[in-house]
Every structure is written in C-alpha cells, then in structure tokens.
C-alpha cells in the first residue's frame, strides 16, 4: 500500500471526551464532566472515567520516593467565574483601570470562564505540598522531572510546556492533563502540546 505523505498519527477518536479542548480560542461554556469523584477522599475532584489512571500516576510517583500533592483539579464553570471576577475586581480596585481594562489584564493571569483546562475534569496541578501561589521556583524540580518523564505511561501529558507558551499562552510545569496512553505517548515523545496534536486531525 502507498504511504500517505501525512504524519503518522495514532488511531484515536479526537471527538471523544478525553480530548475536549478548553483554551482562549475554544470556550467550552458551562461544560461539566458526566461524573466526578473525590481524589483519595480529598476535597479535590476528577472525572470518574479517568480517576484510576490518576491514582496509578500518583502511586507511581510515591513508589519513586516522592510525595505528590494535588494542588488543583476540577474547577467548575461558576467557580472559575468567581475566581476570574475576583481577580478582575482586584485589578480594577483603586481606579487605575476601568473594569473592562481590568478584565483584559485578568485574562493574562487567570483563565477566563470556559477556557480553563481544569474545567474539563481531566487536569491536575501536582506539587509536593500546598503553596499559597504556584511558581516553578517553589515546587520540587525532581518531582516535576519525574512527572514529566513518566506521565505518558499513565495517560497524562504536560499540558503547558515551557517551549509551547507561544501556542498555549501558559507555562505550567506542574499541570498535567489526561488524554489516554496512546495519545499521551505520541504527544510526549514528539514534544507537542494538545493544540498541536488535535490540529493533526483537522
């Protein structure tokens, strides 16, 4: 058979739930996963269809000698709206900016409602303990490296790699997203981001 000149890509159905894309170009509105469950009895929740993969991922990190902590997981639309409006109000407070200007500035530091990967129920921020605010400076670099190197084995990808900030708009070395092992291995081996992967199927 003749080889198609197009890129060899995995045989996955990108219209399936695990490939839902939330970003500034794709607002998913008030989408909510069919069912979420608590992560190990905590106040953090995750899509029930992918919880086993997440628990295996966390256990893998523990077996490697780390103490992974879920900083953030599922954030529903109204919670994201509350977070975003709070940030915009903070920026507008004091009168330097109008509220409209504050909203535009807020979009650069926090996700606009409907555009957060956390709203999919498939994303987690994994750190080594609770932090008041996240920055690479305060998260254990060895843990982040382990997570990056092994996430695909559990069906996860690094959602916002440093080198893809021009595409995704964000650089978050602690933010992992479930897409299933087939897609995850392909994405991580090739150094892609989710946007670039999904474009292969357009």
């Amino acid at each position: 058979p003749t080889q198609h000149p197009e890129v060899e890509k995995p045989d996955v159905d990108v219209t399936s739930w695990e490939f839902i894309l939330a970003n500034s170009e794709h607002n998913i509105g008030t989408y909510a996963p069919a069912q979420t469950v608590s992560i190990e009895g905590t106040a953090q929740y995750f899509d029930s269809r992918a919880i086993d993969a997440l628990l295996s991922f966390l256990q893998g990190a523990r077996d490697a000698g780390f103490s992974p902590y879920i900083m953030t997981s599922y954030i529903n639309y109204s919670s994201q709206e509350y977070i975003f409006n709070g940030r915009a109000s903070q920026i507008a407070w004091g009168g330097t900016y109008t509220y409209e200007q504050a909203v535009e500035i807020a979009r650069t530091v926090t996700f606009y409602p409907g555009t957060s990967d956390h709203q999919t129920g498939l994303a987690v921020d994994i750190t080594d303990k609770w932090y008041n605010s996240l920055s690479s400076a305060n998260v254990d670099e060895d843990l982040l490296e382990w997570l990056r190197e092994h996430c695909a084995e559990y069906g996860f990808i690094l959602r916002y790699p440093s080198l893809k900030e021009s595409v995704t708009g964000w650089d978050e070395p602690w933010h992992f997203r479930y897409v299933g092992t087939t897609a995850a291995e392909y994405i991580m081996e090739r150094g892609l981001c989710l946007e670039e992967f999904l474009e292969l199927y357009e």
Side-chain angles (χ1 to χ4, degrees):
T2 54
Q3 279 294 326
H4 290 291
E6 61 177 275
V7 187
E8 280 285 322
K9 50 186 192 264
D11 181 15
V12 293
D13 174 9
V14 293
T15 63
S16 181
W17 58 273
E18 62 269 59
F19 296 108
I20 183 165
L21 179 66
N23 64 20
S24 56
E25 321 283 293
H26 296 86
N27 189 310
I28 59 173
T30 55
Y31 170 89
Q35 188 187 5
T36 57
V37 288
S38 164
I39 301 169
E40 299 178 327
T42 64
Q44 299 283 2
Y45 287 79
F46 203 69
D47 190 311
S48 60
R49 295 165 290 195
I51 188 70
D52 289 345
L54 176 61
L55 297 179
S56 299
F57 188 23
L58 294 173
Q59 191 54 50
R62 290 185 190 117
D63 292 345
F66 297 104
S67 304
Y69 176 85
I70 302 286
M71 183 92 180
T72 316
S73 53
Y74 175 53
I75 300 176
N76 65 26
Y77 180 87
S78 57
S79 297
Q80 189 61 40
E81 198 172 32
Y82 178 80
I83 293 165
F84 184 87
N85 292 343
R87 182 57 66 91
S89 300
Q90 245 178 348
I91 294 166
W93 192 81
T96 310
Y97 302 101
T98 64
Y99 189 73
E100 288 69 30
Q101 288 171 322
V103 163
E104 288 313 304
I105 296 165
R107 280 175 179 267
T108 66
V109 289
T110 191
F111 289 93
Y112 191 74
T115 70
S116 169
D117 195 44
H118 286 289
Q119 196 184 320
T120 66
L122 298 169
V124 280
D125 289 342
I126 304 178
T127 60
D128 47 336
K129 59 175 185 283
W130 188 82
Y131 292 102
N132 275 320
S133 68
L134 266 179
S135 78
S136 325
N138 55 16
V139 183
D140 177 8
E141 190 48 56
D142 292 336
L143 168 65
L144 294 179
E145 187 181 345
W146 187 92
L147 295 171
R148 213 169 32 242
E149 283 177 5
H150 296 276
C151 62
E153 298 162 27
Y154 302 93
F156 286 80
I157 58 168
L158 178 60
R159 178 68 183 88
Y160 302 115
S162 302
L163 296 172
K164 299 295 175 182
E165 194 173 354
S166 60
V167 182
T168 66
W170 306 89
D171 173 8
E172 298 190 350
W174 50 78
H175 183 119
F176 292 86
R177 158 68 191 259
Y178 180 80
V179 292
T181 48
T182 306
E185 281 167 3
Y186 183 92
I187 290 168
M188 293 304 292
E189 274 166 18
R190 286 163 181 76
L192 302 175
C193 61
L194 186 57
E195 283 82 354
E196 291 170 324
F197 176 73
L198 294 175
E199 259 171 35
L200 299 173
Y201 295 83
E202 284 175 3

